Amino acid sequence: MSEPTQFHIGPHTYEIQWTRKQGPNWGTSWPNKLRVRICTRKHSLSQQQSTLLHEYIHCALHQAGAPTWDWLTEEREESLIRAMEGPLLELFRPKNRSLLEWLTSHG
């Protein structure tokens, strides 16, 4: 399966850039520019998946107004996202398919 090139949050479409150039982070997001970058160099598929979800959460928090939340410092945001990325990624795994189908059903 090829890497995705975009994702959507609300009315916004974000571009996903894949690169082999290693920067200081495995991934970077620019919510105001609707863009994220994910490094693939020396990172397994599961690491890339976790990194993309991590950057997605950054963008989702930005869309929810996080930059205006006084209590959410950059360090707290990173800690929150790191704590959530694993369990959220697990939600999309095949063993949770019935839960995901139920959560996204149109009742």
Side-chain angles (χ1 to χ4, degrees):
M1 176 178 281
S2 62
E3 293 112 350
T5 59
Q6 62 183 17
F7 61 82
H8 306 277
I9 299 176
H12 304 289
T13 301
Y14 292 78
E15 175 190 1
I16 304 169
Q17 298 174 335
W18 299 90
T19 182
R20 292 194 45 78
K21 293 181 182 178
Q22 180 67 54
N25 302 309
W26 290 8
T28 306
S29 60
W30 297 275
N32 289 331
K33 295 182 179 181
L34 303 177
R35 188 172 71 225
V36 300
R37 182 181 306 148
I38 308 298
C39 178
T40 60
R41 187 167 187 243
K42 297 184 181 180
H43 300 138
S44 69
L45 177 59
S46 63
Q47 289 169 319
Q48 293 171 41
Q49 291 167 330
S50 182
T51 301
L52 179 54
L53 182 58
H54 181 106
E55 299 308 328
Y56 178 96
I57 297 170
H58 273 298
C59 295
L61 285 172
H62 186 271
Q63 290 301 321
T68 64
W69 302 343
D70 294 336
W71 61 271
L72 189 62
T73 64
E74 188 174 325
E75 293 80 21
R76 285 180 179 161
E77 182 175 343
E78 277 300 317
S79 295
L80 175 66
I81 292 172
R82 285 190 180 132
M84 304 245 343
E85 68 189 40
L88 283 174
L89 191 58
E90 197 68 21
L91 174 65
F92 303 107
R93 302 278 186 219
K95 65 183 175 183
N96 285 315
R97 185 175 317 266
S98 63
L99 173 60
L100 187 59
E101 288 173 359
W102 185 84
L103 289 172
T104 59
S105 66
H106 301 287

